[in-house]
Every structure is written in structure tokens, then in C-alpha cells.
Amino acid sequence: MAHLRRELYRQVRGPEVTHADRCALVFDTDTKSLYVEHEVAHLDACVSGTIEIQTAAMDIADYLKQGGQTAGHRELWRLLRTLFKDTDDTEEMIGYVRALR
């Protein structure tokens, strides 16, 4: 099962109690599904190095509807705008047509 990942956001706080928060845009090449994966990891060095990791997958629309605009939200919006770039630039369209010939 292959997954293509594009990190959207990462934050790590520590050092004695380390908390890591990560979001990634994931494409599962087997199921052909695209989603956001949110992973939270908590390492407590005081309790014999106990690590707790929680991972949740969510629909892109659900992720974007969450309250607040984190760095992950902003990066995903930037990627979407890049993919669906709306252009009325005639010169750019002429360039595309010439390249196809």
C-alpha cells in the first residue's frame, strides 16, 4: 500500500514533555483516495519515556471547515489555489496552445 504525502503543518514543543502535531495531505495510490491525516504525538520523558500517538484521517472539506485557520489550513488553501489556478491571461493561453502543437 503506497501513500504519497505532502506535509501541511508540523509543530513540536518540548523538551521534557514533547508534544508534536502534524498534518499531511495524503494520496493512497491503492484506494485512489485523497485525505488529510492529522497526527498528534505526546512523549513524557518523566514516565519512563511513554509515547502516545493518535492519528486521524479526515475528508479535505471537513478539515477546511474546522474552526480557526492554522498553518496547515493556509498551506492546503495555497495548494488548492495552485491546482485550480483560474486565469484570464490571453498570452498565457496562447502559450499553452502553441506548446500543444
Side-chain angles (χ1 to χ4, degrees), residues 4 25-28 31-36 58-61 76 80 83:
L4 303 175
L25 183 62
V26 179
F27 180 67
D28 184 328
T31 64
K32 308 296 186 254
S33 59
L34 183 66
Y35 58 92
V36 173
M58 65 184 80
D59 184 72
I60 293 171
L76 183 54
L80 291 171
L83 286 172

Side-chain angles (χ1 to χ4, degrees), residues 6-9 21-25 36-39 63:
R6 170 77 180 248
E7 187 171 285
L8 299 172
Y9 169 78
D21 187 13
R22 177 187 67 84
C23 284
L25 183 62
V36 173
E37 183 179 83
H38 183 212
E39 182 178 273
Y63 176 72

Side-chain angles (χ1 to χ4, degrees), residues 82-96:
T82 300
L83 286 172
F84 297 104
K85 184 178 176 183
D86 184 17
T87 180
D88 290 328
D89 186 355
T90 305
E91 290 301 317
E92 188 174 349
M93 292 304 288
I94 291 170
Y96 287 141

